[in-house]
Amino acid sequence: MRSYNARVFSAGPKVLSEKDLSVVPDPCPPVCVWLKRDLRVDDHAALAEAVARARGGAVFAVFVYEPEVLAQPEWDSSHTAFQAECLADLEAALRRKSIRLVTRRGEAVSCLEHLRNETGFRLLVAHEETGTGVTYARDRRVRRWARTAGIELLEVPHTGVVRRLATRNGWNRLWEKRMTAACAIVPRSTGRGGSDVVERLGSLGILGCRELGLPADTKDRQRGGERAAGEVLEDFLNVRGRHYSGGISSPVSAATSCSRLSPALAFGAISMRRVWQASEARRLDVQAALATAESPREKAEGKAWLRSLKGVQSRLHWHCHFMQKLEDEPAIEFENMLRAADGLREREVVPERLAAWQSGHTGYPLVDACMRSLLATGWLTFRMRALLVSFASYSLWLHWRPTGLHLARHFLDFEPGIHWSQLQMQSGTTGINTLRIYNPTKQAIDQDPRGIFIRRWVPELAGLPPAYVHMPWTMPLDVQQASGCIIGRDYPAPLVDHIVAVREAKRRLAMVRNAPESRAEARDVAHRHGSRKDRRGAMQQDPVRRTLFGDGSDSAGRSKRRPGPPVRDPQQLLDPQQLLPFLTEDLAAEVAQGPQSENS
Ligand SMILES: Cc1cc2nc3c(=O)[nH]c(=O)nc-3n(C[C@H](O)[C@H](O)[C@H](O)COP(=O)(O)OP(=O)(O)OC[C@H]3O[C@@H](n4cnc5c(N)ncnc54)[C@H](O)[C@@H]3O)c2cc1C
């Protein structure tokens, strides 16, 4: 503070009199930026706003390790490790902007109150977080504290999610406006007011799992940090993204065909706007190149890139579309969106079924491979996430809350708004979506016909002949012995009969969904959360839309769309049709139709 005074006093040409001194404003206190899930400097509206509003005061950033957040059942050591990598990058980047990063541990209000007492900050800037019940309640406490303490709390948007949205009408336009606005540039902070105090602030540094008393992170996961996020984006837009369209459903190709930006987006190591703008710039480049392309090969390449870029852009839109649901109705983290579905599964969670599903021992090879791969890496492609939930919710009749908590813990990219909306959607409790029930054996045959992914993650099945890897329970005993896998000893028999279980699940759900009061309630849900037409009057690619407005579904919710193209993965040389002689009649008929499209 003293240094600021000195600057003020020496700045003017004239010597200040006693009278002048009485009107010199108070030294500007520092401004505090509270970081949460926005661990970057690029396109960081809160930091930019803080520097702009500092008026000569220093700017510092605080990150609080909150015991209540770390104790949430959704939290995993992999999240802490990823977060630490983001914070390490961020600390260095902030230093270049002359902004100090301070970390504290404790309850948020009490940490902020201490910092306020130490620095005298009067302006606190943060982003609008759409988080879990715990962080939602915490944010409300912070707001109350700020009001009573006379602190100006400025919360700024950082995705396409709109706070206090009155209606979903027009939301798409608001989203587009946010995505096309200029990215926020954080200038170097030149304010000196309070900088000596800020320099002296105690900080815990960046804490890892050990310091926070958490088990070690054992996942073979993606790296955190703004730099890593930028590299992933570059690589995707210039190399890997070519196979996005057609390559994202199969677990064999998805790990490299998908963008893999989700953990960076969830921790805010990259902004949604930056990703959208980079993808749009690339799309325009491709489009321009396509206009002048001459050879059929160049044209085919250009078209493939365009399909992929449009595909990923529509998903970036979904990201915020789903988060908006939780923002508008925080209860959907805990309660069925369609309250008429209350009581359907709540009392029927069978612990043995849950445990088998959680550890990847259900007896259905692709389900088990997906779960085991998730536990090891922290990531799965959309289709396989949906398969896991469909199997848990319909085949095992488990409630979405405990299964969702398990997945949240193991998804490195856990994003509450997307996660809980998807959990409900894939469990049939929204009332507005077509029931999407995946047959785990058909999915295995469509998406991993040679059993590459299955053999990798379920080593018990590695030695099975191709005809049995998707249905090991059909192996004759001599084949079991020859391949070193006895069903019931080395690998479980199916936990349930999927076909029988799903028939019963459909019956129970139909009773709820077809009741007149459920239909009325579903209309309310659609009004609150359903997507709307876009500016041009066309429907945007949105999973909710299909059911709401009928494009792609008949009145009974059955898909009218033709099956999508088969997965074009060079490793998948075995034609699923070759398996037909080994399948039951029902399954053979389904497999013969080909895979479902990537959007379903
Ligand atoms: C049951 C279930 C739970 C899910 N939980 C999460 C979650 O906690 N966090 C999360 O980020 N995604 C979640 N998803 C959506 C999707 O599976 C992931 O976003 C995607 O697999 C992440 O990989 P990617 O970044 O390579 O995706 P890409 O396909 O490359 O997509 C790019 C980005 O678009 C967004 N996106 C992609 N698909 C969807 C979708 N269906 N809905 C909303 N946004 C989407 C994500 O931000 C993603 O990073 C869930 C899906 C299901 C079925």
Side-chain angles (χ1 to χ4, degrees):
M1 279 182 236
R2 237 173 287 121
S3 57
Y4 177 70
N5 272 337
R7 214 165 59 82
V8 170
F9 292 140
S10 62
K14 72 169 187 167
V15 177
L16 296 170
S17 66
E18 282 296 312
K19 191 164 157 257
D20 291 329
L21 278 175
S22 66
V23 295
V24 167
D26 279 350
C28 286
V31 172
C32 179
V33 179
W34 177 25
L35 299 170
K36 296 185 276 182
R37 284 151 58 89
D38 49 349
L39 306 181
R40 64 173 185 280
V41 289
D42 178 56
D43 192 25
H44 197 301
L47 281 167
E49 193 66 29
V51 175
R53 300 263 314 254
R55 296 196 190 92
V59 175
F60 72 102
V62 61
F63 182 83
V64 183
Y65 292 99
E66 298 163 87
E68 60 177 345
V69 170
L70 298 173
Q72 288 186 107
E74 295 91 334
W75 196 262
D76 183 57
S77 297
S78 57
H79 296 136
T80 289
F82 188 89
Q83 184 183 65
E85 289 157 6
C86 293
L87 283 167
D89 247 21
L90 180 57
E91 187 174 38
L94 285 174
R95 212 177 295 125
R96 290 193 285 277
K97 304 270 179 199
S98 300
I99 297 172
R100 182 164 179 230
L101 173 67
V102 171
T103 68
R104 295 282 166 100
R105 184 176 182 171
E107 195 275 325
V109 168
S110 114
C111 290
L112 292 170
E113 170 74 2
H114 270 105
L115 281 168
R116 198 274 304 250
N117 293 339
E118 290 170 79
T119 64
F121 75 73
R122 293 201 289 259
L123 173 62
L124 178 65
V125 194
H127 77 269
E128 291 175 348
E129 180 176 356
T130 305
T132 60
V134 166
T135 62
Y136 179 62
R138 180 263 331 261
D139 283 351
R140 288 167 64 123
R141 286 199 306 276
V142 169
R143 257 173 248 140
R144 263 199 308 276
W145 162 78
R147 256 198 315 276
T148 43
I151 304 286
E152 183 186 355
L153 171 61
L154 186 64
E155 289 178 279
V156 294
H158 87 144
T159 61
V161 175
V162 182
R163 187 150 284 182
R164 285 179 280 279
L165 182 72
T167 162
R168 267 294 183 129
N169 298 340
W171 183 86
N172 291 335
R173 257 196 312 282
L174 293 176
W175 185 85
E176 268 181 30
K177 213 168 145 195
R178 289 249 182 105
M179 292 307 122
T180 50
C183 285
I185 310 246
V186 180
R188 202 164 158 270
S189 162
T190 52
R192 305 302 307 150
S195 59
D196 48 350
V197 179
V198 168
E199 277 316 305
R200 286 199 303 270
L201 283 176
S203 172
L204 294 171
I206 294 166
L207 305 183
C209 297
R210 194 160 43 84
E211 291 93 344
L212 291 167
L214 299 172
D217 165 38
T218 53
K219 283 198 171 57
D220 185 10
R221 57 169 174 80
Q222 287 178 249
R223 297 297 105 196
E226 192 165 5
R227 211 159 11 133
E231 286 164 9
V232 170
L233 177 63
E234 274 292 303
D235 185 46
F236 175 71
L237 291 181
N238 296 300
V239 187
R240 292 182 294 110
R242 158 73 177 77
H243 298 287
Y244 186 83
S245 173
I248 62 172
S249 290
S250 164
V252 181
S253 53
T256 49
S257 302
C258 287
S259 74
R260 309 301 305 273
L261 285 164
S262 53
L265 286 167
F267 283 83
I270 198 163
S271 80
M272 175 53 80
R273 178 163 44 203
R274 177 64 72 199
V275 173
W276 192 84
Q277 292 191 359
S279 69
E280 181 64 357
R282 174 79 173 117
R283 190 184 68 78
L284 294 174
D285 280 354
V286 172
Q287 211 165 33
L290 192 58
T292 56
E294 284 176 2
S295 75
R297 196 172 161 274
E298 273 179 309
K299 283 185 185 158
E301 273 295 292
K303 282 182 185 160
W305 267 108
L306 273 190
R307 264 198 311 277
S308 288
L309 290 165
K310 284 182 185 162
V312 84
Q313 285 190 326
S314 72
R315 283 168 181 85
L316 297 175
H317 178 269
W318 293 1
H319 175 110
C320 304
H321 165 77
F322 281 106
M323 283 176 69
Q324 186 71 49
K325 297 181 194 226
L326 185 67
E327 175 68 32
D328 293 345
E329 192 179 356
I332 63 169
E333 180 186 353
F334 306 104
E335 313 281 356
N336 290 318
M337 230 180 252
L338 183 76
R339 300 306 299 267
D342 287 0
L344 253 186
R345 298 183 174 99
E346 280 81 349
R347 283 179 295 278
E348 296 195 42
V349 171
V350 182
E352 300 76 41
R353 288 187 176 187
L354 182 61
W357 176 82
Q358 284 176 328
S359 66
H361 289 86
T362 65
Y364 282 92
L366 186 60
V367 173
D368 293 342
C370 283
M371 185 59 84
R372 295 189 203 182
S373 126
L374 171 65
L375 300 180
T377 68
W379 185 84
L380 261 186
T381 190
F382 172 81
R383 171 66 65 92
M384 296 300 113
R385 296 184 196 210
L387 169 68
L388 282 181
V389 176
S390 162
F391 189 79
S393 298
Y394 300 117
S395 314
L396 302 181
W397 202 244
L398 295 169
H399 193 277
W400 53 265
R401 181 73 191 159
T403 55
L405 283 177
H406 176 78
L407 294 176
R409 190 157 52 249
H410 293 288
F411 287 162
L412 186 59
D413 59 25
F414 171 53
E415 179 64 66
I418 303 178
H419 190 71
W420 294 115
S421 306
Q422 282 286 353
L423 252 297
Q424 294 227 28
M425 193 167 135
Q426 306 295 341
S427 303
T429 55
T430 64
I432 59 173
N433 301 107
T434 314
L435 290 189
R436 268 189 219 105
I437 305 181
Y438 294 94
N439 180 324
T441 309
K442 176 181 179 334
Q443 288 300 312
I445 293 167
D446 283 349
Q447 307 298 347
D448 186 19
R450 292 177 68 199
I452 294 171
F453 183 76
I454 292 173
R455 289 175 209 278
R456 168 153 187 231
W457 292 105
V458 188
E460 305 94 291
L461 305 179
L464 264 58
Y468 296 109
V469 76
H470 307 105
M471 293 165 289
W473 62 91
T474 62
M475 264 190 305
L477 192 57
D478 57 331
V479 183
Q480 295 185 32
Q481 281 159 345
S483 51
C485 178
I486 305 292
I487 298 303
R489 186 192 74 187
D490 302 310
Y491 183 71
L495 195 56
V496 291
D497 180 330
H498 165 79
I499 303 291
V500 174
V502 159
R503 201 174 300 133
E504 175 61 10
K506 279 184 180 163
R507 190 190 62 77
R508 292 188 189 191
L509 277 158
M511 271 169 49
V512 169
R513 288 166 65 108
N514 295 338
E517 49 297 358
S518 304
R519 286 177 184 271
E521 203 197 333
R523 278 194 289 278
D524 288 346
V525 175
H527 182 69
R528 251 190 336 272
H529 297 300
S531 68
R532 307 293 199 266
K533 283 183 181 180
D534 73 12
R535 192 155 32 102
R536 291 166 293 277
M539 297 299 180
Q540 295 194 345
Q541 275 299 313
D542 185 298
V544 176
R545 197 197 67 223
R546 279 199 294 280
T547 324
L548 277 179
F549 303 102
D551 53 331
S553 304
D554 63 17
S555 56
R558 286 181 296 264
S559 176
K560 283 190 288 197
R561 291 179 309 156
R562 294 216 316 275
V567 174
R568 287 183 293 275
D569 184 76
Q571 296 178 73
Q572 300 200 0
L573 298 173
L574 182 74
D575 182 348
Q577 309 287 328
Q578 290 173 10
L579 286 164
L580 293 182
F582 297 95
L583 308 180
T584 59
E585 232 172 74
D586 283 359
L587 192 55
E590 277 196 59
V591 170
Q593 287 174 14
Q596 286 156 285
S597 98
E598 279 181 339
N599 290 336
S600 52

mmCIF file of all heavy atoms in Angstrom, residues 332-355:
data_model
loop_
_atom_site.group_PDB
_atom_site.id
_atom_site.type_symbol
_atom_site.label_atom_id
_atom_site.label_comp_id
_atom_site.label_asym_id
_atom_site.label_seq_id
_atom_site.Cartn_x
_atom_site.Cartn_y
_atom_site.Cartn_z
ATOM 1 N N ILE A 332 -31.849 -32.025 -10.259
ATOM 2 C CA ILE A 332 -31.737 -33.227 -11.109
ATOM 3 C C ILE A 332 -30.468 -34.029 -10.819
ATOM 4 O O ILE A 332 -30.291 -35.116 -11.335
ATOM 5 C CB ILE A 332 -31.833 -32.920 -12.630
ATOM 6 C CG1 ILE A 332 -30.674 -32.020 -13.081
ATOM 7 C CG2 ILE A 332 -33.184 -32.324 -12.978
ATOM 8 C CD1 ILE A 332 -30.580 -31.903 -14.603
ATOM 9 N N GLU A 333 -29.621 -33.486 -9.960
ATOM 10 C CA GLU A 333 -28.473 -34.281 -9.513
ATOM 11 C C GLU A 333 -28.942 -35.413 -8.592
ATOM 12 O O GLU A 333 -28.284 -36.454 -8.495
ATOM 13 C CB GLU A 333 -27.503 -33.352 -8.766
ATOM 14 C CG GLU A 333 -26.263 -34.041 -8.241
ATOM 15 C CD GLU A 333 -25.405 -33.116 -7.383
ATOM 16 O OE1 GLU A 333 -25.691 -31.903 -7.292
ATOM 17 O OE2 GLU A 333 -24.428 -33.622 -6.796
ATOM 18 N N PHE A 334 -30.058 -35.198 -7.927
ATOM 19 C CA PHE A 334 -30.520 -36.175 -6.928
ATOM 20 C C PHE A 334 -31.881 -36.780 -7.258
ATOM 21 O O PHE A 334 -32.178 -37.899 -6.861
ATOM 22 C CB PHE A 334 -30.632 -35.494 -5.554
ATOM 23 C CG PHE A 334 -29.362 -34.811 -5.124
ATOM 24 C CD1 PHE A 334 -29.238 -33.434 -5.195
ATOM 25 C CD2 PHE A 334 -28.280 -35.561 -4.670
ATOM 26 C CE1 PHE A 334 -28.058 -32.807 -4.813
ATOM 27 C CE2 PHE A 334 -27.095 -34.941 -4.278
ATOM 28 C CZ PHE A 334 -26.984 -33.565 -4.354
ATOM 29 N N GLU A 335 -32.720 -36.003 -7.932
ATOM 30 C CA GLU A 335 -34.116 -36.425 -8.132
ATOM 31 C C GLU A 335 -34.380 -36.757 -9.586
ATOM 32 O O GLU A 335 -33.794 -36.130 -10.474
ATOM 33 C CB GLU A 335 -35.077 -35.267 -7.769
ATOM 34 C CG GLU A 335 -34.801 -34.572 -6.462
ATOM 35 C CD GLU A 335 -35.320 -35.356 -5.282
ATOM 36 O OE1 GLU A 335 -35.952 -36.406 -5.522
ATOM 37 O OE2 GLU A 335 -35.082 -34.946 -4.142
ATOM 38 N N ASN A 336 -35.321 -37.662 -9.814
ATOM 39 C CA ASN A 336 -35.719 -37.951 -11.187
ATOM 40 C C ASN A 336 -36.253 -36.684 -11.841
ATOM 41 O O ASN A 336 -37.038 -35.950 -11.234
ATOM 42 C CB ASN A 336 -36.843 -38.996 -11.211
ATOM 43 C CG ASN A 336 -36.342 -40.365 -10.803
ATOM 44 O OD1 ASN A 336 -35.262 -40.788 -11.205
ATOM 45 N ND2 ASN A 336 -37.120 -41.071 -9.981
ATOM 46 N N MET A 337 -35.843 -36.467 -13.098
ATOM 47 C CA MET A 337 -36.366 -35.304 -13.819
ATOM 48 C C MET A 337 -37.888 -35.444 -13.937
ATOM 49 O O MET A 337 -38.636 -34.501 -13.772
ATOM 50 C CB MET A 337 -35.745 -35.275 -15.209
ATOM 51 C CG MET A 337 -35.156 -33.955 -15.593
ATOM 52 S SD MET A 337 -34.459 -34.023 -17.246
ATOM 53 C CE MET A 337 -32.728 -33.976 -16.902
ATOM 54 N N LEU A 338 -38.315 -36.671 -14.245
ATOM 55 C CA LEU A 338 -39.753 -36.966 -14.289
ATOM 56 C C LEU A 338 -40.111 -37.548 -12.915
ATOM 57 O O LEU A 338 -39.782 -38.699 -12.617
ATOM 58 C CB LEU A 338 -40.033 -38.004 -15.384
ATOM 59 C CG LEU A 338 -41.491 -38.359 -15.614
ATOM 60 C CD1 LEU A 338 -42.196 -37.237 -16.385
ATOM 61 C CD2 LEU A 338 -41.620 -39.659 -16.398
ATOM 62 N N ARG A 339 -40.753 -36.737 -12.100
ATOM 63 C CA ARG A 339 -41.004 -37.189 -10.726
ATOM 64 C C ARG A 339 -41.934 -38.391 -10.689
ATOM 65 O O ARG A 339 -41.957 -39.139 -9.708
ATOM 66 C CB ARG A 339 -41.555 -36.036 -9.868
ATOM 67 C CG ARG A 339 -40.609 -34.844 -9.767
ATOM 68 C CD ARG A 339 -39.221 -35.242 -9.291
ATOM 69 N NE ARG A 339 -39.220 -35.842 -7.980
ATOM 70 C CZ ARG A 339 -39.044 -35.170 -6.848
ATOM 71 N NH1 ARG A 339 -38.844 -33.870 -6.873
ATOM 72 N NH2 ARG A 339 -39.061 -35.787 -5.693
ATOM 73 N N ALA A 340 -42.680 -38.605 -11.767
ATOM 74 C CA ALA A 340 -43.537 -39.795 -11.826
ATOM 75 C C ALA A 340 -42.707 -41.076 -11.803
ATOM 76 O O ALA A 340 -43.223 -42.159 -11.525
ATOM 77 C CB ALA A 340 -44.396 -39.744 -13.086
ATOM 78 N N ALA A 341 -41.406 -40.949 -12.089
ATOM 79 C CA ALA A 341 -40.539 -42.142 -12.066
ATOM 80 C C ALA A 341 -40.016 -42.438 -10.655
ATOM 81 O O ALA A 341 -39.298 -43.430 -10.457
ATOM 82 C CB ALA A 341 -39.371 -41.953 -13.028
ATOM 83 N N ASP A 342 -40.384 -41.600 -9.678
ATOM 84 C CA ASP A 342 -39.939 -41.845 -8.298
ATOM 85 C C ASP A 342 -40.447 -43.210 -7.834
ATOM 86 O O ASP A 342 -41.597 -43.569 -8.083
ATOM 87 C CB ASP A 342 -40.485 -40.760 -7.354
ATOM 88 C CG ASP A 342 -39.775 -39.430 -7.558
ATOM 89 O OD1 ASP A 342 -38.882 -39.361 -8.421
ATOM 90 O OD2 ASP A 342 -40.126 -38.472 -6.846
ATOM 91 N N GLY A 343 -39.589 -43.940 -7.168
ATOM 92 C CA GLY A 343 -39.998 -45.231 -6.618
ATOM 93 C C GLY A 343 -39.764 -46.396 -7.556
ATOM 94 O O GLY A 343 -39.887 -47.552 -7.170
ATOM 95 N N LEU A 344 -39.433 -46.091 -8.829
ATOM 96 C CA LEU A 344 -39.240 -47.180 -9.797
ATOM 97 C C LEU A 344 -38.121 -48.132 -9.387
ATOM 98 O O LEU A 344 -38.288 -49.346 -9.382
ATOM 99 C CB LEU A 344 -38.868 -46.577 -11.150
ATOM 100 C CG LEU A 344 -39.864 -46.572 -12.275
ATOM 101 C CD1 LEU A 344 -39.213 -46.055 -13.545
ATOM 102 C CD2 LEU A 344 -40.464 -47.953 -12.523
ATOM 103 N N ARG A 345 -36.955 -47.558 -9.075
ATOM 104 C CA ARG A 345 -35.798 -48.422 -8.810
ATOM 105 C C ARG A 345 -35.224 -48.244 -7.406
ATOM 106 O O ARG A 345 -34.384 -49.038 -7.009
ATOM 107 C CB ARG A 345 -34.668 -48.098 -9.793
ATOM 108 C CG ARG A 345 -34.981 -48.320 -11.258
ATOM 109 C CD ARG A 345 -33.739 -48.012 -12.067
ATOM 110 N NE ARG A 345 -33.875 -48.319 -13.479
ATOM 111 C CZ ARG A 345 -34.158 -47.412 -14.410
ATOM 112 N NH1 ARG A 345 -34.366 -46.160 -14.074
ATOM 113 N NH2 ARG A 345 -34.221 -47.772 -15.689
ATOM 114 N N GLU A 346 -35.656 -47.187 -6.715
ATOM 115 C CA GLU A 346 -34.980 -46.789 -5.481
ATOM 116 C C GLU A 346 -34.757 -47.941 -4.507
ATOM 117 O O GLU A 346 -33.725 -48.062 -3.882
ATOM 118 C CB GLU A 346 -35.762 -45.678 -4.752
ATOM 119 C CG GLU A 346 -35.543 -44.292 -5.325
ATOM 120 C CD GLU A 346 -36.385 -44.022 -6.564
ATOM 121 O OE1 GLU A 346 -36.979 -44.987 -7.110
ATOM 122 O OE2 GLU A 346 -36.458 -42.865 -7.000
ATOM 123 N N ARG A 347 -35.781 -48.775 -4.334
ATOM 124 C CA ARG A 347 -35.681 -49.789 -3.289
ATOM 125 C C ARG A 347 -35.076 -51.088 -3.790
ATOM 126 O O ARG A 347 -35.031 -52.069 -3.079
ATOM 127 C CB ARG A 347 -37.075 -50.041 -2.686
ATOM 128 C CG ARG A 347 -37.509 -48.943 -1.727
ATOM 129 C CD ARG A 347 -38.889 -49.206 -1.179
ATOM 130 N NE ARG A 347 -39.913 -49.150 -2.227
ATOM 131 C CZ ARG A 347 -40.452 -48.018 -2.674
ATOM 132 N NH1 ARG A 347 -40.062 -46.872 -2.165
ATOM 133 N NH2 ARG A 347 -41.373 -48.030 -3.609
ATOM 134 N N GLU A 348 -34.646 -51.099 -5.049
ATOM 135 C CA GLU A 348 -34.265 -52.388 -5.610
ATOM 136 C C GLU A 348 -32.800 -52.532 -5.955
ATOM 137 O O GLU A 348 -32.441 -53.371 -6.758
ATOM 138 C CB GLU A 348 -35.110 -52.653 -6.860
ATOM 139 C CG GLU A 348 -36.571 -52.787 -6.501
ATOM 140 C CD GLU A 348 -37.373 -53.397 -7.633
ATOM 141 O OE1 GLU A 348 -36.890 -54.349 -8.254
ATOM 142 O OE2 GLU A 348 -38.467 -52.893 -7.880
ATOM 143 N N VAL A 349 -31.960 -51.697 -5.361
ATOM 144 C CA VAL A 349 -30.537 -51.819 -5.674
ATOM 145 C C VAL A 349 -29.988 -53.074 -5.000
ATOM 146 O O VAL A 349 -30.025 -53.208 -3.781
ATOM 147 C CB VAL A 349 -29.754 -50.567 -5.231
ATOM 148 C CG1 VAL A 349 -28.262 -50.797 -5.360
ATOM 149 C CG2 VAL A 349 -30.164 -49.368 -6.079
ATOM 150 N N VAL A 350 -29.548 -54.018 -5.824
ATOM 151 C CA VAL A 350 -29.001 -55.273 -5.287
ATOM 152 C C VAL A 350 -27.483 -55.085 -5.195
ATOM 153 O O VAL A 350 -26.814 -54.940 -6.225
ATOM 154 C CB VAL A 350 -29.334 -56.462 -6.224
ATOM 155 C CG1 VAL A 350 -28.817 -57.771 -5.650
ATOM 156 C CG2 VAL A 350 -30.832 -56.517 -6.497
ATOM 157 N N PRO A 351 -26.928 -55.076 -3.961
ATOM 158 C CA PRO A 351 -25.501 -54.743 -3.811
ATOM 159 C C PRO A 351 -24.583 -55.634 -4.648
ATOM 160 O O PRO A 351 -23.595 -55.146 -5.198
ATOM 161 C CB PRO A 351 -25.237 -54.947 -2.317
ATOM 162 C CG PRO A 351 -26.575 -54.898 -1.666
ATOM 163 C CD PRO A 351 -27.577 -55.328 -2.675
ATOM 164 N N GLU A 352 -24.917 -56.928 -4.789
ATOM 165 C CA GLU A 352 -24.024 -57.823 -5.547
ATOM 166 C C GLU A 352 -23.988 -57.419 -7.020
ATOM 167 O O GLU A 352 -22.951 -57.486 -7.663
ATOM 168 C CB GLU A 352 -24.474 -59.295 -5.470
ATOM 169 C CG GLU A 352 -24.527 -59.885 -4.067
ATOM 170 C CD GLU A 352 -25.735 -59.401 -3.287
ATOM 171 O OE1 GLU A 352 -26.834 -59.301 -3.859
ATOM 172 O OE2 GLU A 352 -25.569 -59.099 -2.078
ATOM 173 N N ARG A 353 -25.127 -57.006 -7.538
ATOM 174 C CA ARG A 353 -25.174 -56.576 -8.948
ATOM 175 C C ARG A 353 -24.349 -55.314 -9.128
ATOM 176 O O ARG A 353 -23.582 -55.186 -10.085
ATOM 177 C CB ARG A 353 -26.617 -56.278 -9.373
ATOM 178 C CG ARG A 353 -27.447 -57.514 -9.527
ATOM 179 C CD ARG A 353 -28.791 -57.147 -10.109
ATOM 180 N NE ARG A 353 -29.567 -58.344 -10.362
ATOM 181 C CZ ARG A 353 -30.728 -58.359 -10.982
ATOM 182 N NH1 ARG A 353 -31.262 -57.228 -11.415
ATOM 183 N NH2 ARG A 353 -31.375 -59.475 -11.187
ATOM 184 N N LEU A 354 -24.540 -54.373 -8.193
ATOM 185 C CA LEU A 354 -23.802 -53.112 -8.275
ATOM 186 C C LEU A 354 -22.297 -53.392 -8.227
ATOM 187 O O LEU A 354 -21.525 -52.859 -9.033
ATOM 188 C CB LEU A 354 -24.221 -52.192 -7.115
ATOM 189 C CG LEU A 354 -23.582 -50.804 -7.072
ATOM 190 C CD1 LEU A 354 -23.914 -49.999 -8.322
ATOM 191 C CD2 LEU A 354 -24.055 -50.020 -5.831
ATOM 192 N N ALA A 355 -21.879 -54.263 -7.298
ATOM 193 C CA ALA A 355 -20.443 -54.547 -7.141
ATOM 194 C C ALA A 355 -19.879 -55.206 -8.400
ATOM 195 O O ALA A 355 -18.777 -54.871 -8.850
ATOM 196 C CB ALA A 355 -20.225 -55.438 -5.919
#
